[in-house]
Amino acid sequence: MGFAQTLLVYFLVSIHLGVSQHYLRLRPSPSEHLPVPDLKEDPDPEYDPRDQDMPERNLRKKLGSNFDSTFMSISSPMLVNLSAQDTQMKLLGPMPNEIKRLDLAETPYGKRVKVGKKARRKFLQWLWTYTHCPVVYTWKDLGVRFWPRYIKEGNCLNERSCSFPEGMVCKPVKSITKTFLRWYCQGFLRQKYCTWIPVQYPIISECKCSC
């Protein structure tokens, strides 16, 4: 399922929940822009799960194989940037073909210049590093109405332009989805019925330098 479809499913679930919980929706309106914006929740604690609604053993069984400790956590992890420094310098995989195939000897005026192998290799490595768009992961607290409540969310590093000359920025091009449990209530006050339902959450998995 693509992230556009996932967001649509997420939006429909949000609308349904909004009918029974006053309001619960994505802010702003759903789109293909990731990461997912924060949810606007009804602050009434009556719609929060109680301790007896959150037995870890039962919730783990309900989530089953969808529990992924790489991207979700039950207890509070360090809510800091996990990989900003590492990903800025680490280049994964082979050099992209569009960089590797650049003809550095050809000038805009049609003339050709001599470029040594060592100089070419160093320049292409610099260009690859400069235009590289890593995914930077940070832990996010989704709140008590999600289980597990902590998700490791991906973001595209955008401290500067990724193109030469400048103008382009890193944008998400691929995503994965992870299934969480969502505390879902129908009805109002003492008449309400609540349970845990599975919902999918899209996470950026790849970024690319683009307009």
Side-chain angles (χ1 to χ4, degrees):
M1 181 183 291
F3 59 77
Q5 292 175 296
T6 304
L7 282 173
L8 178 59
V9 171
Y10 203 89
F11 180 50
L12 293 176
V13 170
S14 298
I15 290 177
H16 189 44
L17 288 172
V19 172
S20 58
Q21 294 185 196
H22 303 300
Y23 54 89
L24 170 60
R25 57 184 176 83
L26 288 174
R27 186 183 66 230
S29 298
S31 68
E32 292 188 356
H33 296 294
L34 291 178
V36 174
D38 293 337
L39 289 172
K40 187 176 180 181
E41 298 271 25
D42 186 333
D44 189 344
E46 282 292 324
Y47 296 103
D48 291 345
R50 298 163 298 177
D51 289 342
Q52 57 263 42
D53 299 317
M54 305 176 67
E56 182 179 334
R57 183 176 179 181
N58 291 356
L59 294 179
R60 276 185 176 271
K61 184 177 180 180
K62 190 175 184 68
L63 196 57
S65 60
N66 289 312
F67 186 88
D68 185 348
S69 59
T70 302
F71 287 94
M72 53 186 70
S73 177
I74 298 169
S75 58
S76 176
M78 292 182 63
L79 300 178
V80 296
N81 193 314
L82 297 178
S83 53
Q85 294 180 349
D86 294 339
T87 53
Q88 288 183 55
M89 299 303 297
K90 189 183 297 183
L91 300 174
L92 302 177
M95 181 180 292
N97 288 329
E98 57 264 31
I99 294 179
K100 190 186 301 183
R101 294 172 183 170
L102 282 176
D103 186 358
L104 303 181
E106 185 177 350
T107 68
Y109 307 103
K111 294 183 178 180
R112 297 186 68 80
V113 296
K114 186 176 181 180
V115 181
K117 289 184 179 179
K118 187 175 181 180
R120 172 185 167 80
R121 184 173 64 252
K122 285 187 175 182
F123 178 79
L124 293 183
Q125 186 70 27
W126 171 84
L127 187 61
W128 184 17
T129 303
Y130 191 87
T131 60
H132 180 51
C133 286
V135 178
V136 179
Y137 290 101
T138 56
W139 283 104
K140 179 178 181 180
D141 185 355
L142 295 176
V144 71
R145 296 174 190 176
F146 281 88
W147 195 92
R149 68 179 289 173
Y150 300 98
I151 182 173
K152 190 164 72 173
E153 194 171 56
N155 289 270
C156 297
L157 191 64
N158 273 319
E159 295 178 352
R160 58 166 175 76
S161 173
C162 57
S163 63
F164 184 78
E166 294 185 355
M168 301 170 73
V169 294
C170 293
K171 294 183 178 181
V173 291
K174 288 185 181 178
S175 70
I176 56 175
T177 58
K178 295 298 174 180
T179 300
F180 287 73
L181 296 178
R182 169 70 183 174
W183 186 244
Y184 167 53
C185 293
Q186 289 181 306
F188 299 95
L189 302 177
R190 296 181 181 180
Q191 302 271 330
K192 71 181 186 300
Y193 167 77
C194 300
T195 188
W196 292 99
I197 62 170
V199 293
Q200 289 189 316
Y201 197 104
I203 301 170
I204 294 171
S205 60
E206 183 179 335
C207 301
K208 188 174 183 180
C209 189
S210 61
C211 298

